[in-house]
Amino acid sequence: MSQSLDRALVILRELGEGPRTLDDLAAKLDVHKSTVLRLLRTLEKHRFVQREGARHHRLGTALFDLSFRALEERDVRRAVEPHLRELNARTGHTVHLASYEAGEVIYIDKYDSRHQVRMYSRIGKQAALHCTAVGKILVGALPEPERRAIARSIPYPKLTVNTITDADAYLAELEQVRQCGYAVDRREHEDFIHCIGAPVRGPRGEVLAAMSLSVPEMLLDFEGLLGLLPELLGAARAASADCGWRPDAQGNT
């Protein structure tokens, strides 16, 4: 490692403990202040360091941006998988993980029910935006203009008697999801299956994916499924924590 790079990394680590003066950093590196000043100017140029008052320096915004990016780019599926598997083991029912990609909701992981009745969903398959719990979670998390644009563009195929079939009803449903923090599919996508979904969040509280629990009505009625909502929400919160979410930080909820 080059000497300059090594010294710059020492400076960043030192500033990670709090603001420091030029004298503090020169003493830490055991070099002349002019050497530290040259390094600080380069780090400031790239926003890794910023001045605080007349004499002190602190970590800059570029480092925070990089740290968030590092957390966001972790493999969400890998981080959530243990929680998905545990939820499946505890309830015995089908669990899904889905993400929003280029205007589509895609299943990226699934654990099947221990019961003989199976769902048609599979990893890599597209989920309907308007009548699945995961679709409602992921579209509901988008900025309002994007939500409205999507709502106006959906053809709303009627898959069951309970399927939402117009944009106004869909937007009202999305607002309910945003307020409640979870979504339901009450036999809207498949006539004999109902489902509940919850968001998996990232460092800034953004929704990275949606986790769901699906049960055939012959095994558990809708009220019984809602009784499992605390299990789902707990699993989603634990998964979110592993993805960098901190509910007490930066106003995240």
Side-chain angles (χ1 to χ4, degrees), residues 100 103 105 127-131 135-136 139 146-158 163-167 170-171 174:
Y100 184 79
V105 172
L129 299 180
H130 67 301
C131 59
K136 294 174 187 178
V139 177
E146 193 169 353
R147 291 201 310 272
R148 291 191 171 278
I150 290 172
R152 301 302 177 193
S153 69
I154 295 174
Y156 297 99
K158 188 174 179 63
T163 303
I164 292 172
T165 56
D166 67 83
Y170 184 53
L171 287 168
L174 295 184

Side-chain angles (χ1 to χ4, degrees), residues 197-216:
V200 176
R201 299 184 181 275
R204 291 188 283 259
E206 73 278 21
V207 175
L208 301 176
M211 180 186 295
S212 69
L213 186 60
S214 303
V215 184

